[in-house]
mmCIF file of all heavy atoms in Angstrom:
data_model
loop_
_atom_site.group_PDB
_atom_site.id
_atom_site.type_symbol
_atom_site.label_atom_id
_atom_site.label_comp_id
_atom_site.label_asym_id
_atom_site.label_seq_id
_atom_site.Cartn_x
_atom_site.Cartn_y
_atom_site.Cartn_z
ATOM 1 N N ILE A 11 -79.765 -90.398 10.350
ATOM 2 C CA ILE A 11 -79.068 -91.332 9.466
ATOM 3 C C ILE A 11 -78.639 -92.615 10.078
ATOM 4 O O ILE A 11 -77.928 -92.577 11.228
ATOM 5 C CB ILE A 11 -77.787 -90.634 8.848
ATOM 6 C CG1 ILE A 11 -78.060 -89.396 8.083
ATOM 7 C CG2 ILE A 11 -76.970 -91.618 7.981
ATOM 8 C CD1 ILE A 11 -76.953 -88.567 7.548
ATOM 9 N N ASP A 12 -79.068 -93.729 9.553
ATOM 10 C CA ASP A 12 -78.807 -95.106 10.073
ATOM 11 C C ASP A 12 -77.489 -95.534 9.538
ATOM 12 O O ASP A 12 -77.317 -95.643 8.304
ATOM 13 C CB ASP A 12 -80.009 -95.983 9.579
ATOM 14 C CG ASP A 12 -79.875 -97.339 10.242
ATOM 15 O OD1 ASP A 12 -78.757 -97.914 10.297
ATOM 16 O OD2 ASP A 12 -80.954 -97.936 10.426
ATOM 17 N N CYS A 13 -76.572 -95.772 10.411
ATOM 18 C CA CYS A 13 -75.192 -96.139 9.936
ATOM 19 C C CYS A 13 -74.826 -97.645 10.353
ATOM 20 O O CYS A 13 -73.697 -97.922 10.477
ATOM 21 C CB CYS A 13 -74.131 -95.175 10.632
ATOM 22 S SG CYS A 13 -74.439 -93.469 10.343
ATOM 23 N N ARG A 14 -75.859 -98.460 10.505
ATOM 24 C CA ARG A 14 -75.548 -99.798 11.000
ATOM 25 C C ARG A 14 -74.780 -100.552 9.903
ATOM 26 O O ARG A 14 -74.820 -100.431 8.758
ATOM 27 C CB ARG A 14 -76.897 -100.556 11.249
ATOM 28 C CG ARG A 14 -77.450 -100.171 12.551
ATOM 29 C CD ARG A 14 -78.734 -100.878 12.767
ATOM 30 N NE ARG A 14 -79.833 -100.337 11.984
ATOM 31 C CZ ARG A 14 -81.048 -100.816 11.883
ATOM 32 N NH1 ARG A 14 -81.315 -102.003 12.546
ATOM 33 N NH2 ARG A 14 -81.962 -100.320 11.077
ATOM 34 N N PHE A 15 -73.798 -101.382 10.385
ATOM 35 C CA PHE A 15 -72.827 -102.152 9.611
ATOM 36 C C PHE A 15 -72.298 -103.305 10.419
ATOM 37 O O PHE A 15 -72.330 -103.246 11.568
ATOM 38 C CB PHE A 15 -71.757 -101.237 9.100
ATOM 39 C CG PHE A 15 -70.835 -101.877 8.041
ATOM 40 C CD1 PHE A 15 -71.282 -101.897 6.741
ATOM 41 C CD2 PHE A 15 -69.683 -102.468 8.313
ATOM 42 C CE1 PHE A 15 -70.514 -102.529 5.676
ATOM 43 C CE2 PHE A 15 -68.805 -103.074 7.419
ATOM 44 C CZ PHE A 15 -69.286 -103.111 6.119
ATOM 45 N N SER A 16 -71.796 -104.378 9.619
ATOM 46 C CA SER A 16 -71.149 -105.490 10.407
ATOM 47 C C SER A 16 -69.893 -105.799 9.529
ATOM 48 O O SER A 16 -69.936 -106.042 8.312
ATOM 49 C CB SER A 16 -72.002 -106.643 10.404
ATOM 50 O OG SER A 16 -71.289 -107.770 10.884
ATOM 51 N N LEU A 17 -68.710 -105.712 10.119
ATOM 52 C CA LEU A 17 -67.514 -106.179 9.342
ATOM 53 C C LEU A 17 -67.521 -107.634 8.896
ATOM 54 O O LEU A 17 -66.901 -107.933 7.867
ATOM 55 C CB LEU A 17 -66.283 -105.922 10.289
ATOM 56 C CG LEU A 17 -66.026 -104.574 10.751
ATOM 57 C CD1 LEU A 17 -64.800 -104.467 11.716
ATOM 58 C CD2 LEU A 17 -65.679 -103.600 9.467
ATOM 59 N N ASP A 18 -68.347 -108.454 9.668
ATOM 60 C CA ASP A 18 -68.452 -109.823 9.278
ATOM 61 C C ASP A 18 -69.451 -110.033 8.142
ATOM 62 O O ASP A 18 -69.441 -111.111 7.557
ATOM 63 C CB ASP A 18 -68.831 -110.634 10.478
ATOM 64 C CG ASP A 18 -67.772 -110.619 11.624
ATOM 65 O OD1 ASP A 18 -66.595 -110.548 11.256
ATOM 66 O OD2 ASP A 18 -68.160 -110.626 12.701
ATOM 67 N N ASP A 19 -70.393 -109.166 7.968
ATOM 68 C CA ASP A 19 -71.382 -109.323 6.988
ATOM 69 C C ASP A 19 -71.779 -107.907 6.346
ATOM 70 O O ASP A 19 -72.610 -107.234 6.873
ATOM 71 C CB ASP A 19 -72.645 -109.941 7.591
ATOM 72 C CG ASP A 19 -73.846 -110.066 6.668
ATOM 73 O OD1 ASP A 19 -73.624 -109.759 5.459
ATOM 74 O OD2 ASP A 19 -74.906 -110.549 7.020
ATOM 75 N N PRO A 20 -71.022 -107.594 5.338
ATOM 76 C CA PRO A 20 -71.250 -106.183 4.753
ATOM 77 C C PRO A 20 -72.695 -105.872 4.222
ATOM 78 O O PRO A 20 -72.961 -104.679 4.133
ATOM 79 C CB PRO A 20 -70.251 -106.185 3.579
ATOM 80 C CG PRO A 20 -69.260 -107.169 3.985
ATOM 81 C CD PRO A 20 -69.975 -108.199 4.712
ATOM 82 N N THR A 21 -73.457 -106.885 4.070
ATOM 83 C CA THR A 21 -74.840 -106.614 3.618
ATOM 84 C C THR A 21 -75.776 -106.426 4.810
ATOM 85 O O THR A 21 -76.979 -106.140 4.555
ATOM 86 C CB THR A 21 -75.401 -107.825 2.774
ATOM 87 O OG1 THR A 21 -75.515 -108.987 3.562
ATOM 88 C CG2 THR A 21 -74.466 -108.019 1.580
ATOM 89 N N TYR A 22 -75.300 -106.670 6.038
ATOM 90 C CA TYR A 22 -76.181 -106.569 7.226
ATOM 91 C C TYR A 22 -76.873 -105.278 7.399
ATOM 92 O O TYR A 22 -78.033 -105.159 7.634
ATOM 93 C CB TYR A 22 -75.305 -106.883 8.513
ATOM 94 C CG TYR A 22 -76.002 -106.346 9.744
ATOM 95 C CD1 TYR A 22 -77.090 -107.094 10.353
ATOM 96 C CD2 TYR A 22 -75.589 -105.250 10.380
ATOM 97 C CE1 TYR A 22 -77.768 -106.598 11.503
ATOM 98 C CE2 TYR A 22 -76.226 -104.768 11.488
ATOM 99 C CZ TYR A 22 -77.288 -105.463 12.034
ATOM 100 O OH TYR A 22 -77.879 -104.990 13.109
ATOM 101 N N GLY A 23 -76.139 -104.146 7.294
ATOM 102 C CA GLY A 23 -76.704 -102.898 7.530
ATOM 103 C C GLY A 23 -77.932 -102.499 6.720
ATOM 104 O O GLY A 23 -78.967 -102.117 7.165
ATOM 105 N N ARG A 24 -77.822 -102.714 5.386
ATOM 106 C CA ARG A 24 -78.970 -102.530 4.511
ATOM 107 C C ARG A 24 -80.098 -103.429 4.843
ATOM 108 O O ARG A 24 -81.197 -102.974 4.880
ATOM 109 C CB ARG A 24 -78.454 -102.728 3.066
ATOM 110 C CG ARG A 24 -79.611 -102.723 1.993
ATOM 111 C CD ARG A 24 -80.297 -101.315 2.006
ATOM 112 N NE ARG A 24 -79.442 -100.266 1.255
ATOM 113 C CZ ARG A 24 -79.819 -99.092 1.065
ATOM 114 N NH1 ARG A 24 -81.055 -98.666 1.444
ATOM 115 N NH2 ARG A 24 -79.059 -98.237 0.538
ATOM 116 N N ARG A 25 -79.870 -104.732 5.075
ATOM 117 C CA ARG A 25 -80.872 -105.547 5.423
ATOM 118 C C ARG A 25 -81.653 -105.073 6.762
ATOM 119 O O ARG A 25 -82.931 -105.084 6.803
ATOM 120 C CB ARG A 25 -80.335 -107.005 5.673
ATOM 121 C CG ARG A 25 -80.037 -107.753 4.437
ATOM 122 C CD ARG A 25 -80.017 -109.291 4.735
ATOM 123 N NE ARG A 25 -79.443 -109.669 5.969
ATOM 124 C CZ ARG A 25 -78.164 -109.886 6.176
ATOM 125 N NH1 ARG A 25 -77.259 -109.663 5.237
ATOM 126 N NH2 ARG A 25 -77.830 -110.225 7.434
ATOM 127 N N ALA A 26 -80.789 -104.723 7.717
ATOM 128 C CA ALA A 26 -81.361 -104.328 9.002
ATOM 129 C C ALA A 26 -82.206 -103.089 8.761
ATOM 130 O O ALA A 26 -83.335 -102.992 9.426
ATOM 131 C CB ALA A 26 -80.301 -104.102 10.026
ATOM 132 N N TYR A 27 -81.814 -102.207 7.975
ATOM 133 C CA TYR A 27 -82.483 -100.925 7.603
ATOM 134 C C TYR A 27 -83.830 -101.284 7.061
ATOM 135 O O TYR A 27 -84.946 -100.726 7.473
ATOM 136 C CB TYR A 27 -81.707 -100.012 6.776
ATOM 137 C CG TYR A 27 -82.383 -98.802 6.293
ATOM 138 C CD1 TYR A 27 -82.477 -97.641 7.160
ATOM 139 C CD2 TYR A 27 -83.079 -98.722 5.120
ATOM 140 C CE1 TYR A 27 -83.145 -96.539 6.689
ATOM 141 C CE2 TYR A 27 -83.704 -97.607 4.684
ATOM 142 C CZ TYR A 27 -83.801 -96.493 5.478
ATOM 143 O OH TYR A 27 -84.460 -95.397 4.974
ATOM 144 N N GLU A 28 -83.846 -102.185 6.098
ATOM 145 C CA GLU A 28 -85.148 -102.534 5.480
ATOM 146 C C GLU A 28 -86.068 -103.256 6.352
ATOM 147 O O GLU A 28 -87.281 -103.090 6.201
ATOM 148 C CB GLU A 28 -84.792 -103.444 4.200
ATOM 149 C CG GLU A 28 -83.927 -102.839 3.114
ATOM 150 C CD GLU A 28 -84.653 -101.708 2.374
ATOM 151 O OE1 GLU A 28 -85.779 -101.429 2.565
ATOM 152 O OE2 GLU A 28 -83.924 -100.952 1.617
ATOM 153 N N GLU A 29 -85.519 -103.977 7.337
ATOM 154 C CA GLU A 29 -86.477 -104.662 8.294
ATOM 155 C C GLU A 29 -86.948 -103.710 9.373
ATOM 156 O O GLU A 29 -87.982 -104.063 10.066
ATOM 157 C CB GLU A 29 -85.615 -105.759 8.917
ATOM 158 C CG GLU A 29 -85.235 -106.910 8.026
ATOM 159 C CD GLU A 29 -84.185 -107.814 8.624
ATOM 160 O OE1 GLU A 29 -83.790 -107.629 9.798
ATOM 161 O OE2 GLU A 29 -83.807 -108.780 7.942
ATOM 162 N N GLY A 30 -86.451 -102.524 9.495
ATOM 163 C CA GLY A 30 -87.003 -101.621 10.551
ATOM 164 C C GLY A 30 -85.871 -100.645 10.996
ATOM 165 O O GLY A 30 -84.809 -100.997 11.368
ATOM 166 N N HIS A 31 -86.242 -99.361 10.806
ATOM 167 C CA HIS A 31 -85.393 -98.198 11.241
ATOM 168 C C HIS A 31 -86.166 -97.179 11.841
ATOM 169 O O HIS A 31 -87.354 -97.143 11.946
ATOM 170 C CB HIS A 31 -84.714 -97.693 9.977
ATOM 171 C CG HIS A 31 -85.628 -97.434 8.797
ATOM 172 N ND1 HIS A 31 -85.858 -98.234 7.760
ATOM 173 C CD2 HIS A 31 -86.431 -96.214 8.610
ATOM 174 C CE1 HIS A 31 -86.758 -97.686 6.971
ATOM 175 N NE2 HIS A 31 -87.059 -96.608 7.391
ATOM 176 N N LEU A 32 -85.449 -96.127 12.394
ATOM 177 C CA LEU A 32 -86.104 -94.970 13.016
ATOM 178 C C LEU A 32 -86.896 -94.276 11.954
ATOM 179 O O LEU A 32 -86.484 -94.169 10.814
ATOM 180 C CB LEU A 32 -85.111 -94.078 13.623
ATOM 181 C CG LEU A 32 -84.725 -94.211 15.097
ATOM 182 C CD1 LEU A 32 -84.060 -95.542 15.190
ATOM 183 C CD2 LEU A 32 -83.845 -93.102 15.606
ATOM 184 N N PRO A 33 -88.127 -93.748 12.313
ATOM 185 C CA PRO A 33 -88.904 -92.994 11.332
ATOM 186 C C PRO A 33 -88.176 -91.910 10.713
ATOM 187 O O PRO A 33 -87.462 -91.059 11.363
ATOM 188 C CB PRO A 33 -90.095 -92.464 12.259
ATOM 189 C CG PRO A 33 -90.216 -93.490 13.334
ATOM 190 C CD PRO A 33 -88.752 -93.894 13.608
ATOM 191 N N GLY A 34 -88.200 -91.887 9.505
ATOM 192 C CA GLY A 34 -87.541 -90.705 8.636
ATOM 193 C C GLY A 34 -86.014 -90.919 8.347
ATOM 194 O O GLY A 34 -85.509 -90.111 7.721
#
């Protein structure tokens, strides 16, 4: 489970996930 987030940019985590995440 990818839990990336930024308090300064709440949309960051989803964007970062779409740009590249661990397989599966």
Side-chain angles (χ1 to χ4, degrees):
I11 301 178
D12 185 321
C13 304
R14 284 178 285 174
F15 189 79
S16 171
L17 295 175
D18 297 327
D19 180 2
T21 66
Y22 160 76
R24 171 64 71 177
R25 285 201 321 274
Y27 174 82
E28 299 291 353
E29 292 168 2
H31 52 265
L32 270 64

